[in-house]
Amino acid sequence: MRPLDPLSIPLHGLHLIEASAGTGKTFTITLLYLRLLLEAGLAVDRILVVTFTNAATEELRDRIRSRLRAALGWLEGERDPKRNPVDGPLLDLLLHLPDPQGAARILGDSLTRLDESAIHTIHGFCQRMLEEHAFESGMPFEAELTGEASELFDAVMTDFWRRHIATLGAEDARWVGKQFASPADLLKAARRILSVEPSGLIPPTSAERAAAARERRESLFGQLQTLWARERGAVVALLERHPGLNRNSYNSRVVTNAIQSMDRLSEGFDTDRISSNEIGRFLPETLAERLKTGSPPAHPLFPLVKELKEATLAAEEIRRAWLLRQARDFLEAELARRKAERRQLAYEDLLSHLARGLEGERGESFAQRIRERFPAALIDEFQDTDPLQYRIFRHLYRAQPDCALFLIGDPKQAIYAFRGADIFTYMQARRDVAREGQEHTLLTNRRSSSALIRAVNTLFGTQEVEPFVYRDIPFVPAAPGPEADDEPLTLDGVSPPPLELGWLVAEGDKGLSRDAAGELGANACAARISELLRLADQDRVRIGDRPLRAGDIAVLVRTHFEGDRVQRALRAAGVRSASLSREGVFATQEAADLALVLAAVAEPAREGLVRAALASPLIGTSAAELDALGRDDAAWEQQLERFRSYRQQWLGGGFLVAFLRLLHDHAVPARLLGQRDGERRMTNLLQLGELLQMATVAHPRIEALLSWMADGRAKAVADETEELRLESDENLVQILTQHKSKGLEYPVVFIPSPWSHTSPEKDKILTFHDPLTHLPAAYLGATERGDYLPRVREEQLAEQLRLLYVSVTRAKKLCVLYWGAVKGAEGCALAYLIHPDPEAGTPASRMQGLSSEGIRADLQRLVARSAGSIAVRDIGQVEPSRLWRPNPDSTRL
């Protein structure tokens, strides 16, 4: 892999450009775009730029426009670096243009036509190609794009449940109920394996396999019934009188319970009973373990019980897997059928239709027409690709020397597996480029200070283990840019170590539970922020020539629960903050309160709903006031009339009229804004009102709109319009999830709970990639989980490492993390980097076997390697006198 020279990289062929955090990926894309205009002679509508969100496409278009304007301004004589900053590779490009006047004409024309530029999301690109080439692609005419189609998923799974579950007998229905409580529960499981090909589902299942497993279990159960009826007395005598058994484990009460359970089991098979502790007393291994002396008791019943238990587990495993496979296949086939019948397309269908069109009988001519339209393509954020997206671009541009395909991204920042991004597809692309094209890397970090870059290089530059688990994702140390230290963060005139590890002290050597560590980390984080702001008020903490501000600080958390905990701690410390989360506004308390009020507006004749609405936090009627209303018929009738009038206003003037009237009548803004977090709550409420007003176009009836709102509240993740908005433009500490922070940067970043991670142990479905084919796979069973858990843990650890890299590289000047002897932290990314275990068979840390002193010693070794760029700071008890209390007249908050 060679360092990228953006001015000499060929403008044809296949290129992979790896851009580490802060190394100027967008700058590089815009410079390549400029070269394609000026050197390759391509117009703006012939250069394809693909990224992955609507917001990113607009940002990229703006950045390209800005770069074109700067270049054109320089060519037209605007050379003042303050008014038109043109330097570095862009200046070199402009200085060596053979025809500056011709270049200026091209840039002027390109700016005029930039609205015609082909800058799209992947779905937008696919949709446009399908529409423009409907004949070659086989695109359905007049197809309706329906987005994610969650309602259709629900309807299909409800039909599956009605056809396959509701018709079952009582025993089978009870079994299904234990596995999946509802169609929604089954849908959630089936969707997890929808992208897995049937060959990747483990264990292999079919109706015949399920029937055979059940027949074997029934045969063994019949044998057990016969043997127990004949040998019951002998077995009872053996358990009661065998001299070698430990009678603490096999006392008379235990033996009696075991015999009674076997009696009940022999009367009729029960899955739960065969797995019970009482039946477990008959297992050969249990008898051997509970032996005081001699040989364990032997009888043909004991191995038969073991065989029946194993056969039961196998039958249950295959039965559950078969049900999931049926649900998955039904979902896949029925979704396709219904969408075709209704001429509907979901976003994922755009990709699959384009891929099929390119691979069909007219595929080559289709691909040639796209290449003629777009001889050059730049794929941004390529680390977030999936197999289907890569298939499309590989089919279009593979072995096309006259075309250019630039795959631009950073595998170290691939953190969206939950959205379908597939790091294994990236690694395959990387291997393909190694054979067929050129690999490049951007090495100069233009975001962070030189000391912080050195600290990150130290943290991830371990030689003991692969820092990102896979060899195909190497860590190449970054170098600082020429302006890295122009505006340093200083404390009393001195730059502190830029990577700070706060040491959380545990009582004794017992370690901290995750919950206790989370509270301690949140409080320590709040105390440190308040301390920095207090010192900034005294002009002792500065960034360049100005004091540090609250808006310079971000706190990155893994979950919204952690974010709420940090926000509470900051509030207690007198520090105001804003929580920008991916969680939708429909998931807020305000949504629940508004739903309660609107239910009363919809049915004002139901006095119970009106009472609930009045008592809600939104309206805030006290218990005493409600009691008084109940004893004053005229006052109560006035309240009922109010709600009837809101309904009439809704029907006559629209939702927003009724909504604003209700807020006014009950003085809701004044009540909410008078609370400590009132601005946040009022922002949520107004955003809900706006969304509901927009939704009235598709759902004009009151009942339909409330149903739409209920569906929105049931969603786990919001779309872009439903994301929580910041409550104001004030200068606040920002709290956001680590995933949400990608692409952002802050002078100071806190990560209060770096040990936070998920574990697959309790997950009933294990998803991973086949180690040979790298295709998605899923284990649906239980008996062989131990064979697949290491692979799942490895993939989860690899993603956690990438998430940690994204988080620490958001910082420009200072990054503060908290660490200590936290129980259960051994499986997290930071433990793997600080306490690696290179001798383990799979990627792992040795933290679990370390004392607090051992953990602290590993930290000190990390500090020693960092050349002063990493420091450990002991976290003691927070002193209230040290907490920041902002000046009421301060404009900082």
Side-chain angles (χ1 to χ4, degrees):
M1 185 176 293
R2 68 192 77 181
L4 175 69
D5 180 352
L7 298 182
S8 65
I9 183 174
L11 297 180
H12 55 82
L14 175 62
H15 301 274
L16 180 71
I17 301 174
E18 291 194 355
S20 295
T23 56
K25 173 175 66 68
T26 305
F27 178 92
T28 300
I29 291 172
T30 58
L31 191 60
L32 289 173
Y33 195 94
L34 197 62
R35 286 187 60 205
L36 288 165
L37 292 173
L38 298 177
E39 297 177 22
L42 297 178
V44 292
D45 61 348
R46 300 193 68 211
I47 305 170
L48 175 64
V49 182
V50 174
T51 189
F52 286 84
T53 67
N54 290 319
T57 60
E58 292 308 311
E59 180 184 358
L60 204 49
R61 184 177 281 105
D62 289 343
R63 296 286 287 273
I64 289 172
R65 180 181 287 110
S66 175
R67 185 58 51 83
L68 295 185
R69 282 176 178 163
L72 179 59
W74 192 91
L75 290 173
E76 292 179 341
E78 181 54 78
R79 307 291 173 89
D80 183 349
K82 291 184 179 179
R83 296 180 60 184
N84 188 29
V86 173
D87 55 13
L90 177 56
L91 181 59
D92 290 342
L93 174 65
L94 297 176
L95 285 170
H96 294 90
L97 288 173
D99 180 10
Q101 290 184 340
R105 285 194 299 272
I106 291 172
L107 293 178
D109 179 64
S110 298
L111 277 167
T112 302
R113 299 182 56 202
L114 199 60
D115 287 341
E116 303 172 23
S117 60
I119 304 173
H120 305 295
T121 64
I122 179 64
H123 298 104
F125 164 69
C126 291
Q127 183 179 13
R128 180 159 297 191
M129 292 303 97
L130 290 169
E131 289 173 348
E132 292 182 1
H133 306 280
F135 179 71
E136 294 93 335
S137 67
M139 171 77 165
F141 291 103
E142 298 180 353
E144 175 193 0
L145 186 60
T146 61
E148 199 265 348
S150 59
E151 293 181 1
L152 186 57
F153 274 91
D154 293 340
V156 170
M157 189 50 66
T158 299
D159 281 354
F160 176 83
W161 190 274
R162 185 163 46 245
R163 296 183 196 183
H164 296 268
I165 309 300
T167 57
L168 295 174
E171 190 263 325
D172 287 336
R174 279 194 299 271
W175 177 84
V176 172
K178 291 178 182 178
Q179 307 298 318
F180 305 102
S182 65
D185 196 20
L186 180 57
L187 175 62
K188 184 178 179 181
R191 290 192 71 166
R192 288 194 63 190
I193 60 174
L194 194 57
S195 63
V196 180
E197 294 296 326
S199 59
L201 297 176
I202 308 168
T205 57
S206 65
E208 292 74 21
R209 283 175 177 266
R214 188 166 185 166
E215 286 173 8
R216 182 169 185 273
R217 187 202 69 190
E218 290 173 354
S219 173
L220 289 169
F221 178 63
Q223 296 176 43
L224 181 137
Q225 285 179 304
T226 301
L227 188 59
W228 181 249
R230 189 177 67 240
E231 298 289 330
R232 182 183 187 279
V235 173
V236 170
L238 198 57
L239 294 181
E240 289 178 342
R241 301 171 190 170
H242 189 277
L245 283 177
N246 185 327
R247 288 303 161 187
N248 289 326
S249 299
Y250 280 85
N251 57 40
S252 59
R253 178 182 58 81
V254 169
V255 171
T256 298
N257 288 340
I259 297 301
Q260 289 176 350
S261 288
M262 184 62 76
D263 286 338
R264 287 192 291 270
L265 178 64
S266 66
E267 293 170 1
F269 183 81
D270 184 283
T271 301
D272 292 335
R273 184 162 290 126
I274 191 64
S275 302
S276 67
N277 290 332
E278 289 79 11
I279 297 299
R281 297 292 176 177
F282 295 93
L283 293 172
E285 56 267 32
T286 304
L287 292 162
E289 289 170 1
R290 303 298 194 272
L291 197 67
K292 287 177 62 177
T293 183
S295 300
H299 190 279
L301 179 77
F302 302 150
L304 181 59
V305 170
K306 179 178 182 179
E307 196 173 1
L308 175 60
K309 182 177 180 180
E310 291 174 348
T312 299
L313 290 174
E316 294 294 293
E317 177 175 281
I318 293 175
R319 186 182 185 185
R320 186 175 190 276
W322 175 235
L323 175 60
L324 273 172
R325 168 72 181 273
Q326 285 180 295
R328 176 214 172 278
D329 292 351
F330 184 88
L331 196 62
E332 182 179 58
E334 195 65 11
L335 282 171
R337 187 190 69 78
R338 294 191 191 190
K339 284 187 285 190
E341 186 178 80
R342 302 175 187 183
R343 296 186 177 275
Q344 291 179 337
L345 289 175
Y347 287 131
E348 63 269 18
D349 298 325
L350 297 172
L351 277 73
S352 58
H353 272 69
L354 183 56
R356 281 198 297 270
L358 290 170
E359 294 164 359
E361 59 183 41
R362 291 185 290 269
E364 188 48 44
S365 63
F366 185 19
Q368 183 59 33
R369 293 186 66 179
I370 295 177
R371 285 192 294 269
E372 289 171 357
R373 170 81 179 274
F374 302 118
L378 300 99
I379 314 302
D380 186 23
E381 302 288 2
F382 184 68
Q383 77 277 353
D384 294 328
T385 193
D386 65 27
L388 196 54
Q389 294 167 17
Y390 180 51
R391 262 171 58 197
I392 289 170
F393 292 114
R394 184 164 173 76
H395 194 98
L396 283 173
Y397 292 102
R398 184 185 183 187
Q400 299 295 327
D402 296 332
C403 294
L405 176 62
F406 298 92
L407 307 176
I408 307 153
D410 182 6
K412 302 186 297 299
Q413 298 187 68
I415 59 173
Y416 295 126
F418 65 93
R419 293 185 191 170
D422 187 351
I423 191 62
F424 291 91
T425 297
Y426 182 94
M427 291 192 287
Q428 180 59 52
R430 195 170 189 266
R431 289 189 285 269
D432 292 342
V433 173
R435 292 191 302 269
E436 304 165 15
Q438 297 182 19
E439 296 178 85
H440 314 264
T441 185
L442 291 166
L443 295 174
T444 302
N445 184 320
R446 303 177 187 278
R447 171 185 298 160
S448 304
S449 69
S450 58
L452 183 53
I453 292 168
R454 186 164 67 249
V456 173
N457 287 345
T458 302
L459 181 63
F460 287 92
T462 173
Q463 300 300 309
E464 296 179 273
V465 292
E466 293 291 341
F468 293 96
V469 175
Y470 306 117
R471 291 185 179 180
D472 285 311
I473 308 179
F475 178 75
V476 181
E483 300 176 352
D485 301 317
D486 283 1
E487 295 184 332
L489 173 74
T490 58
L491 171 58
D492 292 332
V494 177
S495 293
L499 186 60
E500 181 181 300
L501 290 162
W503 176 254
L504 304 178
V505 179
E507 294 183 9
D509 198 35
K510 296 180 180 180
L512 292 161
S513 69
R514 285 201 207 182
D515 188 59
E519 286 290 339
L520 191 55
N523 292 333
C525 170
R528 183 68 166 137
I529 290 173
S530 66
E531 178 189 38
L532 290 172
L533 293 175
R534 178 172 57 85
L535 295 174
D537 275 349
Q538 301 168 14
D539 207 27
R540 294 172 59 190
V541 178
R542 301 177 65 83
I543 295 177
D545 59 0
R546 65 170 178 83
L548 176 75
R549 296 190 291 260
D552 296 323
I553 302 171
V555 182
L556 307 186
V557 295
R558 184 68 181 270
T559 67
H560 302 307
F561 173 80
E562 293 172 17
D564 291 342
R565 181 160 54 190
V566 169
Q567 194 161 38
R568 287 194 301 271
L570 286 170
R571 192 178 298 127
V575 179
R576 294 179 65 193
S577 60
S579 179
L580 178 62
S581 75
R582 180 64 181 157
E583 182 179 308
V585 71
F586 282 139
T588 63
Q589 182 61 44
E590 288 68 51
D593 295 343
L594 183 59
L596 197 63
V597 172
L598 294 183
V601 174
E603 297 185 75
R606 295 179 59 182
E607 296 187 11
L609 290 179
V610 175
R611 286 192 185 90
L614 291 171
S616 71
L618 205 61
I619 296 178
T621 306
S622 68
E625 290 169 331
L626 278 175
D627 182 61
L629 280 172
R631 288 184 274 107
D632 186 337
D633 291 343
W636 179 242
E637 181 59 31
Q638 186 179 15
Q639 290 293 344
L640 294 177
E641 180 57 33
R642 266 188 173 182
F643 278 83
R644 286 193 288 265
S645 72
Y646 299 146
R647 177 180 171 85
Q648 291 306 315
Q649 288 172 330
W650 189 341
L651 292 171
F655 167 78
L656 198 58
V657 173
F659 174 70
L660 294 176
R661 185 67 195 176
L662 186 150
L663 297 188
H664 176 269
D665 286 352
H666 297 279
V668 173
R671 179 179 300 99
L672 292 185
L673 292 173
Q675 300 173 12
R676 174 169 281 188
D677 59 346
E679 200 169 353
R680 166 77 274 161
R681 299 187 65 189
M682 194 63 206
T683 300
N684 291 348
L685 187 60
L686 292 176
Q687 187 179 354
L688 285 163
E690 181 183 325
L691 289 171
L692 285 162
Q693 175 62 23
M694 292 166 58
T696 58
V697 176
H699 309 281
R701 293 172 54 248
I702 291 178
E703 295 77 9
L705 187 63
L706 294 184
S707 177
W708 175 83
M709 184 182 184
D711 289 343
R713 292 183 59 215
K715 286 183 182 179
V717 178
D719 66 25
E720 290 180 13
T721 63
E722 297 164 6
E723 288 182 29
L724 291 180
R725 294 175 183 160
L726 293 181
E727 51 264 42
S728 74
D729 294 326
E730 283 191 83
N731 187 26
L732 308 174
V733 172
Q734 304 296 301
I735 303 173
L736 63 165
T737 64
Q738 293 170 290
H739 284 94
K740 188 69 178 178
S741 73
K742 186 175 180 294
L744 304 177
E745 58 184 51
Y746 300 89
V748 179
V749 167
F750 283 79
I751 308 173
S753 303
W755 54 82
S756 177
H757 69 285
T758 56
S759 174
E761 269 69 18
K762 294 182 180 180
D763 201 341
K764 289 186 177 181
I765 299 176
L766 300 180
T767 56
F768 54 96
H769 288 74
D770 184 278
L772 298 178
T773 66
H774 301 299
L775 294 174
Y779 178 63
L780 311 178
T783 58
E784 299 176 3
R785 285 173 61 84
D787 295 341
Y788 301 100
L789 272 171
R791 183 74 182 177
V792 178
R793 291 194 194 101
E794 178 181 288
E795 292 188 20
Q796 289 190 358
L797 174 61
E799 178 140 354
Q800 290 163 23
L801 285 159
R802 301 193 296 271
L803 189 60
L804 178 65
Y805 176 81
V806 166
S807 301
V808 298
T809 55
R810 299 311 92 196
K812 298 168 67 176
K813 311 294 180 183
L814 173 65
C815 183
V816 181
L817 304 93
Y818 294 91
W819 198 239
V822 181
K823 297 174 184 176
E826 63 274 359
C828 78
L830 196 58
Y832 174 77
L833 292 174
I834 298 177
H835 318 288
D837 186 359
E839 303 303 320
T842 57
S845 78
R846 54 187 180 83
M847 182 179 177
Q848 190 171 15
L850 294 176
S851 64
S852 293
E853 291 76 14
I855 294 171
R856 181 69 181 254
D858 280 352
L859 288 184
Q860 294 300 338
R861 280 188 282 273
L862 179 69
V863 169
R865 295 200 307 270
S866 74
S869 62
I870 302 177
V872 176
R873 177 186 174 98
D874 288 330
I875 304 300
Q877 293 297 316
V878 178
E879 300 174 16
S881 62
R882 296 176 62 193
L883 299 184
W884 184 54
R885 299 298 176 191
N887 182 340
D889 299 326
S890 172
T891 59
R892 257 181 224 144
L893 289 180

